[in-house]
């Protein structure tokens, strides 16, 4: 009775009667031969048609992992049965199981990854249908594993990336599937892929680059989309750069539709972001190619942002921003630029029009869009432009400044969100899946260089002050300064942190000179002064941070003149420590250097200062001037300077070198300090006289010092 009802039951449940019969035979198998025969029948039935999840699970329940494991690893096949048939059967069963995501993540599947990876490169007859079927099933297994949450990590650890690279390079059966799976793994875990299989991935990149350079058909546009994924996080091989540049030059030099041009622009942007201009050859061909790139980028930006209601392809426009940044860098480079002067003039004019379109776009941005990555990318390119050029588009820039301050403040207050925007911008610029080198998530830092220029000008400075930019900059500076304080490992900090601190100092210096009233009335500058005083003593002792110390010392000295009545500057331990450190910075800049064949030494820069004097000298002279101005305002300062022995050592230094080796501006700076110290304190005058101060003043024609020391 039961047997009569079974077909009807199978039909009602949607079961395949043939498969059910084979599964029954499998369950009743008494030895390996019977089980093997039943498995062949089950596999044949599975391949003959689609099966649903329930049926797939019933097959797994009947088969399990034990027998497929034996099939994959056995070295002895039955008589008359090729050994690869057993493996093919095992892989076919795993492929069936892996279509269930839960089974694809099963440890018994994951531990087969190294074995499966060996099947990607076929051995024997490449046209053998069983071998091809096994390769297809292998890719099905690996692709299913890659689709699980931790699958890519297991595949990479199991050597799959190298196996896929070899399969692709061999161009055997299934090599296109190898490339597709490689793309997926790179998209999911780029860093780990390169760490595990860099030589193999570079070999694939070389092959793809060569194919790209030679391609004459539509495949070159497909390669444009693939190649960014295969650019390494480190150095791109020179031969690849040559092939990529040659291929891009041919594509972009032709008349193209947007779907053909856009992937090429994105590839060029990825190369620009990774290599700067190093991938572009020198000479006429390179300069023409770079000019073409920037031209196309600017046209694309204007078309996207100027036309009302046009759909903005944000990934393409962001890539164009990267190419515009490359153009800005090359136009401002004085030495070894790829561009000739007429080309620079022309490109600056073209980029100005594109930047005007960016400003127009940002003027339309409402508060609801401020956290979108494309807005961040647009602010970034504007910041790059303002860092080099603020004289053009001045009216438009001034109109946009309130928005920029509010935008920077919003992202500063939500720093974590800003870092996330940074990653999204990188994704936009490169591809939907693979980020390139990280873009700074710090919107304010992108604007600092431009604001540094703008605070020199009356109109923009007044707008920045009105919108609260100085207070924001103080908070920003103090927060970032914490990263450099004792207890933090400064060796792991990116250079951008220290550069940002230096640029902040330059902005504050501009405000000290042009808006002294602001420094006196805004409480944030009192906090800033306290931080500078507390930090400089340790900073001047640190190797490799002299330029930052110079910025801090000079800014602190200039602010001290304006805040001289503050209780914090009335001889407190912090103020004494700060001025002692400032004296150390100012006094150690020059030394007496003996010269062969001469009785007198020459005044020379000390070794630490020599290499960076071009960046340092303006700060040093300004610091000397500011210290001079502080002496009469702080009565305790002259005795402190005397105890440091700076005036005595300075006169000793001048007396030991040839006067002709001391430039007039150095003489003026030294005289300024010595005169104020002598005027402020009788003991200073006496100490200078004992150090042959009058004689030295006469040798250097320091009339003011000579007169001061001649008085009682």
């Amino acid at each position: 009775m039961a047997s009569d009802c079974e077909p009807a039951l199978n039909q009602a449940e949607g079961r395949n009667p043939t498969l059910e019969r084979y599964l029954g035979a499998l369950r009743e198998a008494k030895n390996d031969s019977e089980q093997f025969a039943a498995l062949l029948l089950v596999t044949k039935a599975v391949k003959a048609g689609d099966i649903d999840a329930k049926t797939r699970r019933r097959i797994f329940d009947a088969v399990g992992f034990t027998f497929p494991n034996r099939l994959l690893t056995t070295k002895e096949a039955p008589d008359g049965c090729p050994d690869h048939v057993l493996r093919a059967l095992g892989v076919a069963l795993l492929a069936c199981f892996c279509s269930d995501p839960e089974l694809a993540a099963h440890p018994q599947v994951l531990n087969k990854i190294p074995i499966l990876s060996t099947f990607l490169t076929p051995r024997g007859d490449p046209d053998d249908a069983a071998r091809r079927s096994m390769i297809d099933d292998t890719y099905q297994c690996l692709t299913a594993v890659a689709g699980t949450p931790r699958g890519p990590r297991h595949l990479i650890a199991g050597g799959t990336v190298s196996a896929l690279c070899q399969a692709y390079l061999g161009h055997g059966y299934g090599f296109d599937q190898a490339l597709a799976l490689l793309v997926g793994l790179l998209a999911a875990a780029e860093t780990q892929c390169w760490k595990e299989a860099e030589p193999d991935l570079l070999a694939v990149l070389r092959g793809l680059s060569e194919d790209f350079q030679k391609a004459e058909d539509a495949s070159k546009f497909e390669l444009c989309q693939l190649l960014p994924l295969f650019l390494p996080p480190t150095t791109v091989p020179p031969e690849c750069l040559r092939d990529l540049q040659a291929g891009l030059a041919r594509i972009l030099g032709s008349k193209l539709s947007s779907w053909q041009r856009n992937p090429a622009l994105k590839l060029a942007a990825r190369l620009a972001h990774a290599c700067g201009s190093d991938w572009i050859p020198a000479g006429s061909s390179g300069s023409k190619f770079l000019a073409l790139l920037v031209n196309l980028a600017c046209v694309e930006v204007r078309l996207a942002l100027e036309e009302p209601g046009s759909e903005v392809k944000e990934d393409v426009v962001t890539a164009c921003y990267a190419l515009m940044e490359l153009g800005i860098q090359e136009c401002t480079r004085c030495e070894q630029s790829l561009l000739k002067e007429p080309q620079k003039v022309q490109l600056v004019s073209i980029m100005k029009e594109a930047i005007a379109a960016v400003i127009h776009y940002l003027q339309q941005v409402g508060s609801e869009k401020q956290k979108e990555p494309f807005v961040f990318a647009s602010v970034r390119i504007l910041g790059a432009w303002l860092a080099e050029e603020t004289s053009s588009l001045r009216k438009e820039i001034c109109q946009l400044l309130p928005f920029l301050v509010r935008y920077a403040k919003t992202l500063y207050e939500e720093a974590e969100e800003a870092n996330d925007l940074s990653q999204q911008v990188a994704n936009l610029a490169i591809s939907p899946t693979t980020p390139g080198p990280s873009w700074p998530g710090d919107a304010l830092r992108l604007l600092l260089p431009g604001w540094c220029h703008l605070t020199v000008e009356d109109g923009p400075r007044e707008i920045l002050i009105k919108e609260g930019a100085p207070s924001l900059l103080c908070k920003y500076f103090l927060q970032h300064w914490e990263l450099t304080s004792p207890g933090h490992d400064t060796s792991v900090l990116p250079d951008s942190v220290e550069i940002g601190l230096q640029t902040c100092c330059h902005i504050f210096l501009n405000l000290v000179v042009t808006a002294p009233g602001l420094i006196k009335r805004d409480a944030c500058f009192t906090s800033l002064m306290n931080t500078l005083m507390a930090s400089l003593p340790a900073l001047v002792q640190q190797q490799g941070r002299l330029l930052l110390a110079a910025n801090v010392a000079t800014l602190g000295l200039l602010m001290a003149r304006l805040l001289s009545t503050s209780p914090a500057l009335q001889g407190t331990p912090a103020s004494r420590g700060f001025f002692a450190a400032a004296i150390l910075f100012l006094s150690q800049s020059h030394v007496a250097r003996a010269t062969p064949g001469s009785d007198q030494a020459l005044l020379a820069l000390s070794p630490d200062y020599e290499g960076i004097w071009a960046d340092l000298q303006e700060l040093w002279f300004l610091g000397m001037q500011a210290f001079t101005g502080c002496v009469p305002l702080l009565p305790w300062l002259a005795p402190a300077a005397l105890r440091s022995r700076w005036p005595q050592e300075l006169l000793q230094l001048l007396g030991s070198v040839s006067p002709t080796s001391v430039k007039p501006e150095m003489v003026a700076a030294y005289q300024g300090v010595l005169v104020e110290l002598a005027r402020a304190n009788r003991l200073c005058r006496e100490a200078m006289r004992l150090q042959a101060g009058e004689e030295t003043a006469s040798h250097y024609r320091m009339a003011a010092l000579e007169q001061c020391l001649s008085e009682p």
Side-chain angles (χ1 to χ4, degrees):
M1 181 71 70
S3 59
D4 294 337
C5 297
E6 195 168 297
L9 181 63
N10 287 340
Q11 188 175 5
E13 293 182 359
R15 295 181 179 180
N16 182 330
T18 304
L19 178 60
E20 293 303 317
R21 188 165 62 253
Y22 294 162
L23 286 174
L26 181 61
R27 284 191 292 268
E28 295 170 5
K30 295 182 176 59
N31 53 49
D32 283 355
S33 297
E34 291 182 5
Q35 193 170 23
F36 177 62
L39 278 173
L40 284 175
L41 295 172
V42 168
T43 306
K44 181 179 179 181
V46 169
K47 288 181 176 294
D50 295 332
I51 57 173
D52 57 24
K54 287 184 178 180
T55 305
R56 188 162 47 246
R57 176 60 75 162
R58 293 179 65 248
I59 295 173
F60 171 72
D61 291 339
V63 176
F65 279 116
T66 303
F67 200 68
N69 290 348
R70 291 173 59 193
L71 291 173
L72 290 173
T73 57
T74 186
K75 295 182 179 178
E76 296 182 3
D79 292 340
C81 177
D83 58 355
H84 72 271
V85 172
L86 297 182
R87 292 194 296 271
L89 177 58
V91 176
L93 288 168
L94 282 183
C96 173
F97 299 160
C98 283
S99 23
D100 182 333
E102 184 178 340
L103 292 178
H106 195 284
Q108 287 285 354
V109 172
L110 299 179
N111 65 23
K112 303 298 181 301
I113 290 173
I115 298 174
L116 291 172
S117 296
T118 64
F119 299 158
L120 297 178
T121 305
R123 301 178 182 86
D125 183 3
D127 296 324
D128 182 80
R131 293 184 187 277
R132 291 193 168 197
S133 178
M134 184 174 71
I135 292 172
D136 287 334
D137 288 336
T138 300
Y139 280 116
Q140 184 177 337
C141 291
L142 297 176
T143 302
V145 171
T148 64
R150 299 173 64 86
R153 181 184 302 180
H154 289 291
L155 290 173
I156 294 167
T160 303
V161 176
S162 291
L164 290 170
C165 291
Q166 295 303 322
Y168 173 75
L169 292 169
H171 275 67
Y173 180 77
F175 80 98
D176 53 338
Q177 297 181 73
L179 185 62
L181 188 49
L182 268 178
V183 167
L185 290 176
L186 284 167
E190 179 187 29
T191 303
Q192 292 87 342
C193 286
W194 281 101
K195 183 178 179 181
E196 290 294 327
E198 181 172 348
D200 295 302
L201 286 169
L202 286 176
V204 172
L205 174 62
R206 290 187 182 95
L208 291 173
S209 301
E210 188 175 348
D211 291 345
F212 179 63
Q213 192 270 336
K214 294 177 179 177
E216 297 291 345
D217 55 12
S219 66
K220 60 187 175 184
F221 303 115
E222 297 172 5
L223 286 168
C224 273
Q225 297 178 341
L226 284 178
L227 279 162
L229 296 162
F230 286 89
L231 295 179
T234 53
T235 305
V236 182
E239 64 272 22
C240 296
L241 293 178
R242 286 194 297 270
D243 286 341
L244 293 173
Q245 189 276 329
L248 282 171
R250 278 211 313 276
I251 290 176
L252 294 173
S254 306
K255 188 174 181 180
L256 303 170
S257 61
S258 60
W259 73 267
Q260 296 169 321
R261 181 176 59 251
N262 291 346
L265 289 173
K266 292 172 70 173
L267 173 58
R270 177 69 173 84
L271 288 167
H273 209 43
C275 310
S277 60
D278 293 344
W279 61 288
I280 301 176
S284 175
S285 63
S287 65
K288 289 179 180 178
F289 175 70
L290 176 58
L292 174 64
L293 272 183
V294 179
N295 263 293
L296 289 172
C298 291
V299 169
E300 202 69 37
V301 168
R302 291 187 64 188
L303 287 174
L305 302 183
E306 285 182 348
E307 295 185 8
S310 62
E311 181 183 353
V312 178
K313 294 180 180 177
E314 295 179 351
D315 56 339
V316 177
V317 176
T318 306
C320 291
Y321 286 165
L323 296 175
M324 286 175 61
E325 277 198 55
L326 179 63
I328 292 170
Q329 292 167 8
E330 285 300 314
C331 285
T332 54
R333 180 178 292 182
C334 297
E335 297 180 359
Q336 297 182 330
S337 173
L338 292 171
L339 300 170
K340 296 178 180 178
E341 203 57 38
Q343 289 175 310
K344 291 182 179 181
V345 173
Q346 183 183 21
L347 284 184
V348 167
S349 176
I350 293 169
M351 286 190 290
K352 175 183 172 182
E353 294 174 346
I355 291 296
V358 174
I359 293 174
H360 172 74
Y361 165 76
L362 290 174
Q363 286 171 336
Q364 318 303 316
V365 171
S367 57
E368 74 282 357
K369 288 189 174 183
Q370 285 194 14
K371 296 177 184 178
E372 293 184 2
F374 183 65
V375 176
F376 186 93
S378 301
V379 171
R380 174 188 168 92
I381 186 60
L382 179 60
W385 173 265
L386 292 177
E388 306 296 343
E389 173 58 60
T390 56
S391 58
S392 60
L393 301 171
R394 184 172 304 180
K395 178 181 176 183
E396 292 84 351
I397 290 168
C398 286
Q399 291 173 344
L400 190 64
L401 278 179
F403 164 80
L404 293 176
V405 176
R406 290 194 301 271
Y407 181 77
K409 184 178 181 181
T410 298
L411 291 195
Y412 168 74
E413 291 173 347
E414 301 175 19
E416 187 174 340
E417 209 158 323
N419 287 329
D420 183 56
L421 277 178
S422 160
Q423 190 60 61
Q424 293 180 56
V425 169
N427 291 345
L428 272 179
I430 312 307
S431 77
T433 53
T434 301
S438 60
W439 292 49
D442 184 352
L444 184 53
R445 191 182 68 78
L446 303 176
L447 295 168
L448 289 179
W451 286 7
C452 187
H453 298 316
L454 292 170
T455 47
V456 178
E457 304 174 24
D458 293 339
R461 181 177 62 253
E462 289 175 5
I463 297 172
L464 288 170
I465 292 173
K466 180 182 177 183
E467 296 296 329
S471 176
L472 174 62
L473 289 169
C474 282
K475 292 176 183 177
Y476 176 86
F477 181 90
L478 295 175
Q479 183 193 62
H480 280 67
W481 189 262
E482 283 296 314
L483 300 175
T484 69
S485 61
H488 290 79
D489 184 5
T490 56
S491 64
V492 301
L493 289 178
D495 293 341
S496 60
V497 172
E498 191 150 315
I499 293 171
L501 289 170
Q502 291 177 22
T503 309
C504 278
C505 287
H506 295 166
I507 295 174
F508 295 141
L509 286 169
N510 290 341
L511 294 175
V512 167
V513 174
T514 60
L518 175 69
I519 308 300
K520 293 178 180 179
R521 69 174 180 267
D522 198 322
C524 70
F525 288 101
T526 301
S527 299
L528 176 61
M529 185 72 215
N530 290 336
T531 298
L532 299 180
M533 289 195 298
S535 306
L536 186 62
L539 185 61
V540 293
Q541 304 291 343
Q542 296 176 19
Q543 289 291 325
R545 308 192 74 193
L546 182 57
L547 193 55
L548 181 58
N551 278 278
V552 170
T554 304
L555 175 60
L557 290 169
L558 284 167
M559 289 180 63
R561 288 196 311 182
L562 299 176
L563 302 174
S564 60
T565 58
S566 167
L569 286 163
Q570 306 311 309
T572 60
S575 62
R576 289 179 181 274
F578 169 79
F579 276 93
I583 288 172
L584 195 64
F585 158 66
L586 296 171
S587 64
Q588 292 187 338
S589 61
H590 290 78
V591 295
R593 184 172 297 166
T595 54
S598 175
D599 295 336
Q600 274 192 308
L602 302 179
L603 187 71
L605 288 165
S606 59
D608 288 343
Y609 289 67
E610 193 169 14
I612 58 173
W613 187 247
D615 298 318
L616 201 63
Q617 61 177 335
E618 186 177 351
L619 290 168
W620 186 87
F621 280 108
L622 196 54
M624 290 288 285
Q625 182 184 349
F627 185 93
T628 301
C630 287
V631 173
L633 299 174
L634 302 171
W636 59 270
L637 184 53
L642 182 62
R643 285 192 296 273
S644 75
R645 293 194 55 79
W646 185 27
Q648 301 97 308
E649 291 173 357
L650 180 51
L651 287 168
Q652 184 180 3
L653 175 65
L654 291 173
S656 66
V657 300
S658 169
T660 58
S661 68
V662 186
K663 295 179 180 179
E665 60 268 26
M666 293 294 299
V667 173
Y670 286 146
Q671 178 176 224
V673 168
L674 292 170
V675 166
E676 287 301 331
L677 290 173
R679 286 174 178 169
N681 186 270
R682 177 180 58 82
L683 294 177
C684 280
R685 290 195 296 275
E686 292 176 0
M688 290 182 197
R689 292 190 189 107
L690 291 174
Q691 196 63 50
E694 291 178 272
E695 182 181 349
T696 301
S698 175
H699 284 161
Y700 285 90
R701 298 181 181 180
M702 296 180 177
L705 179 60
E706 191 173 6
Q707 180 180 353
C708 185
L709 294 180
S710 66
E711 297 173 356

